Every structure is written in C-alpha cells, then in structure tokens.
C-alpha cells in the first residue's frame, strides 16, 4: 500500500464566506493560495460567473472559465495572504449579503520563474511537484 507524506489539505482547501461589499479578509485556508477559484453560491445579484485569480498574473487579474472572453481586471482578490486572501469591493466575488465559495490551491507560494524546458517557453511558472500542480504564463504566437 502506498502512503503519502502530506495531507491533501496542505495544498487544497475550500473556503465558504459571505460578501460584504468592502475589504473582506478571508482566513482559515491553512496556506497562502496561489490559485483561487471563486463562485457565487446563492445565485443572487445576477452574477453566475466563475472567477479565477492566481499569483502568476497577480492581484486584481482574473479569468472567467465559464465565458469566452479572456482576462479581466477587478477589485476582486487584492492580496494573497499567509492563511487566505483579501477581497476588494467587486460584486462578482464580494457582493454584500451574498454567499460564495473559494477553492484554493497551493503551488510554489510565489509568481515563479521562467521555464524553457520543452517547446513552449513560459514567462512565469509556479510549481508544486509534491501536489502535482503548477501555474504557467506564456505569450502565444497568435496561431494554432
């Protein structure tokens, strides 16, 4: 039987929270998240979007994986903290009186560095080999 030397919660944790429409520090994640996926839980306020923030792109930059448009900017996640994250006033992820879920992953705890192994060179790559998780940023060539 194979045994692991870590707990999955060392690298992934779910945080439920209520929005307040202002600065909103979320603690209790157990680590500084490198990738945060946020979703409104009660469907109110007209926003059903998913928002993904990561340390590679930095604070306030997000991707909505359920939409066809690319990266956006909002006062969503304003900092990645040692035991969670802090939100700004953006309704999509912190509307007052709404409930949200944030799925948190831990990579290297930083933006990472470039990676030139392989055919696609990345600008930044944040890697956690123990958890088998990484985040990479690269500049595409504009073709398939």
């Amino acid at each position: 039987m194979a045994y692991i030397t870590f707990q999955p919660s060392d690298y992934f944790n779910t945080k439920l929270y209520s929005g307040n429409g202002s600065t909103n520090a979320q603690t209790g994640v157990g680590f500084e998240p490198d990738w945060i996926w946020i979703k409104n839980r009660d469907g109110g306020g007209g926003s059903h979007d998913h928002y993904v923030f990561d340390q590679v792109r930095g604070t306030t930059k997000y991707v909505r994986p359920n939409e066809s448009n690319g990266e956006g900017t909002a006062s969503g996640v304003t900092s990645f903290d040692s035991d969670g994250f802090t939100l700004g006033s953006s309704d999509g992820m912190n509307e007052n009186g709404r409930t949200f879920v944030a799925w948190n992953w831990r990579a290297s705890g930083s933006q990472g560095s470039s990676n030139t192994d392989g055919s696609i060179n990345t600008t930044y790559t944040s890697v956690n080999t123990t958890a088998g998780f990484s985040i990479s940023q690269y500049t595409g060539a504009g073709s398939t």
Side-chain angles (χ1 to χ4, degrees), residues 3-63:
Y3 293 96
I4 58 174
T5 59
F6 63 91
Q7 294 300 311
S9 61
D10 292 341
Y11 304 105
F12 173 81
N13 206 342
T14 302
K15 176 71 179 173
L16 303 177
Y17 67 93
S18 295
N20 68 8
S22 184
T23 300
N24 193 352
Q26 298 301 312
T27 60
V29 172
F31 53 83
E32 180 176 342
D34 293 292
W35 202 62
I36 306 169
W37 187 320
I38 297 174
K39 174 76 174 97
N40 180 320
R41 293 179 63 217
D42 61 19
S47 177
H48 302 285
D49 286 329
H50 299 247
Y51 294 90
V52 175
F53 294 85
D54 64 77
Q55 290 223 34
V56 170
R57 266 191 302 275
T59 59
T60 73
K61 297 288 187 184
Y62 66 84
V63 172

Side-chain angles (χ1 to χ4, degrees), residues 20-137:
N20 68 8
S22 184
T23 300
N24 193 352
Q26 298 301 312
T27 60
V29 172
F31 53 83
E32 180 176 342
D34 293 292
W35 202 62
I36 306 169
W37 187 320
I38 297 174
K39 174 76 174 97
N40 180 320
R41 293 179 63 217
D42 61 19
S47 177
H48 302 285
D49 286 329
H50 299 247
Y51 294 90
V52 175
F53 294 85
D54 64 77
Q55 290 223 34
V56 170
R57 266 191 302 275
T59 59
T60 73
K61 297 288 187 184
Y62 66 84
V63 172
R64 291 188 308 197
N66 64 307
E67 295 287 338
S68 60
N69 52 349
E71 180 182 85
T73 302
S75 61
V77 173
T78 58
S79 67
F80 298 91
D81 306 328
S82 63
D83 187 30
F85 55 94
T86 301
L87 298 157
S89 60
S90 183
D91 280 350
M93 59 274 339
N94 191 24
E95 184 176 353
N96 188 35
R98 301 290 177 202
T99 59
F100 297 86
V101 58
W103 297 282
N104 302 272
W105 284 263
R106 181 179 181 188
S108 70
S110 69
Q111 189 177 44
S113 58
S114 65
N115 183 346
T116 58
D117 294 338
S119 61
I120 297 176
N121 297 330
T122 67
T123 309
Y124 298 106
T125 299
S126 179
V127 178
N128 184 324
T129 56
T130 303
F133 177 72
S134 63
I135 307 164
S136 294
Q137 177 184 33

